[in-house]
Amino acid sequence: TGMGGFLQSILNGYLGLRVRLEELELYPQLLPDTTGVIVRGISYLGSSLDLVVDEDEQAVVTVTALNAAYPLQVQHVNGTVE
C-alpha cells in the first residue's frame, strides 16, 4: 500500500536494487545534490546486508549476517568476482 510503495520507490528506483532468483543487482542513481544514502538490514537468501552509496554513486555492501546454506558472491562492474 502507501508505505510499501514508498519503500519500493526508494529501493528499486533510487538505489536500482533488483532482486533476481540467483542474484541481487544494484544500480544506484542518486538525485542531484544528494550526498549519499544508507540502508541497513536488507534480507536476501537468509543473509542480512547493509548498503552505503556515496555521492559518486559508489556502493559498499556489508554482510552483517551470513546464511551458510546460500554463499554470497560479489561481482563487480568490471567482471571480477569475490
Side-chain angles (χ1 to χ4, degrees):
T1 60
M3 192 59 178
F6 172 75
L7 183 59
Q8 285 185 10
S9 69
I10 298 296
L11 294 176
N12 301 121
Y14 197 55
L15 297 177
L17 191 63
R18 303 290 183 265
V19 179
R20 310 275 187 230
L21 183 60
E22 296 183 5
E23 63 187 9
L24 187 68
E25 298 176 353
L26 181 66
Y27 302 100
Q29 296 180 348
L30 300 183
L31 297 172
D33 299 321
T34 302
T35 58
V37 66
I38 298 171
V39 178
R40 290 188 172 88
I42 297 171
S43 182
Y44 180 68
L45 294 178
S47 294
S48 183
L49 314 170
D50 290 347
L51 170 65
V52 177
V53 179
D54 68 15
E55 61 190 325
D56 297 321
E57 296 179 347
Q58 299 298 311
V60 175
V61 178
T62 304
V63 179
T64 56
L66 183 62
N67 180 351
Y70 297 99
L72 298 178
Q73 226 178 25
V74 176
Q75 182 170 353
H76 299 274
V77 174
N78 64 11
T80 60
V81 176
E82 295 178 16

